[in-house]
Amino acid sequence: RYCFVHHEDLTMDDLAQLMNASASHQEVIENGPPAQPLQFPTPTVGRAHLVTAIVHNPATSEEAQIPNVVYEARSDGAAPLRGYWIGRKLKNAIYGCVRSCTVLRLRPGSTWTGPDSGAAGGGAAWEVTPEMAAVKIMDWNRIRDLCGRHTEDPVKEVSAMQYLCTDGGSPNVLGTLDVMSDEQYLYSFMPFCSCGELFGHVERDGRFSEPVARFWFRQLLNVSLLRCIIFLMSNTNQFAHLFNPNIFCAEKIVGSLSFTKDGSVAQRHIS
């Protein structure tokens, strides 16, 4: 799913996009005022349906009644592409929380007739997969309450993340899997980073030893970080600082996200 990018893959044209980092103060003044933040398109948000469903485990052939299953209720009545079994809380967020999810798929041979559909004979329509996801669940009441009073805008955030996935996005960018909403919550489903934030490692271990700090710093200076910066600048002309709480670790993958000037967020992986 992710690719490893080597130093020789960078061209002079790629590096030329970063030359503005060496501009003098006078050159910056002569270039005039900064451009306004990119206005991202209105996000595509599906209608979320939250149910308790019978779910099949193909590894054990067991079935169980599972609460907190979310899928997109499509307006044309077609079967959803996947569902999500929402699990444990990973962390609190400004507008709600982030939870882990198990990705579900419709069982082969099941008949989808709507929210209460199941396989022939009344069995489970859903089955678990090995894939995990993360979901940021944001409360619409809190979003409306903080509208215009907080720098982070969840609607702009999901819009930016969807925009960066346009035409397949970048192998170094962590985008959205699905965005859904019901009357109470806005759900943003994303790929799961199994090892959490780099900041969590700092909180847990305190000051890093020199070898550990060198390991992480080499990861951050890996050429894929330049790829992330180049991708973001070429697609949005915006980039901001990277910091510990926005660097994610998934086995051998390190991820980060950058805030645009209007509070939107672009997430990415660094391998």
Side-chain angles (χ1 to χ4, degrees), residues 30 82 85 121 142 178:
E30 291 175 354
R82 54 185 162 247
W85 174 15
R142 187 158 178 80
D178 286 295

Side-chain angles (χ1 to χ4, degrees), residues 49-252:
H49 197 72
L50 177 66
V51 298
T52 296
I54 300 176
V55 178
H56 173 75
N57 185 346
T60 63
S61 298
E62 296 177 323
E63 292 184 358
Q65 195 171 39
I66 302 299
N68 300 323
V69 172
V70 176
Y71 63 87
E72 181 182 355
R74 299 177 56 173
S75 58
D76 58 2
L81 297 177
R82 54 185 162 247
Y84 301 92
W85 174 15
I86 298 178
R88 66 185 180 92
K89 182 188 291 188
L90 301 175
K91 61 176 295 184
N92 290 319
I94 294 172
Y95 294 94
C97 65
V98 179
R99 291 183 176 270
S100 63
C101 302
T102 299
V103 179
L104 307 176
R105 67 183 177 190
L106 291 174
R107 294 184 67 186
S110 64
T111 303
W112 184 260
T113 58
D116 300 319
S117 65
W126 296 101
E127 67 179 14
V128 299
T129 72
E131 185 180 356
M132 296 291 293
V135 57
K136 182 182 284 189
I137 305 175
M138 296 162 279
D139 191 303
W140 277 116
N141 289 330
R142 187 158 178 80
I143 293 173
R144 286 187 283 266
D145 182 57
L146 293 179
C147 181
R149 301 195 294 117
H150 200 282
T151 55
E152 287 196 32
D153 184 332
V155 177
K156 288 183 179 179
E157 176 181 320
V158 297
S159 177
M161 293 174 68
Q162 286 184 340
Y163 177 80
L164 291 175
C165 293
T166 305
D167 299 325
S170 164
N172 301 115
V173 172
L174 174 63
T176 58
L177 298 173
D178 286 295
V179 178
M180 305 180 209
S181 174
D182 57 24
E183 293 182 357
Q184 189 171 2
Y185 298 113
L186 174 64
Y187 304 88
S188 177
F189 294 92
M190 301 163 285
F192 182 69
C193 294
S194 59
C195 298
E197 302 171 350
L198 178 57
F199 184 66
H201 293 263
V202 176
E203 279 191 316
R204 184 191 64 203
D205 300 333
R207 182 173 179 175
F208 285 163
S209 65
E210 194 66 28
V212 173
R214 181 163 51 249
F215 167 80
W216 287 114
F217 202 65
R218 282 177 175 172
Q219 291 283 324
L220 294 173
L221 291 182
N222 185 284
V223 70
S224 296
L225 176 59
L226 297 181
R227 285 289 189 191
C228 293
I229 297 173
I230 290 169
F231 177 81
L232 184 59
M233 293 185 66
S234 63
N235 284 272
T236 67
N237 290 320
Q238 299 179 64
F239 186 74
H241 59 287
L242 305 174
F243 55 107
N244 279 349
N246 297 324
I247 299 174
F248 297 92
C249 315
E251 297 178 353
K252 293 185 178 180

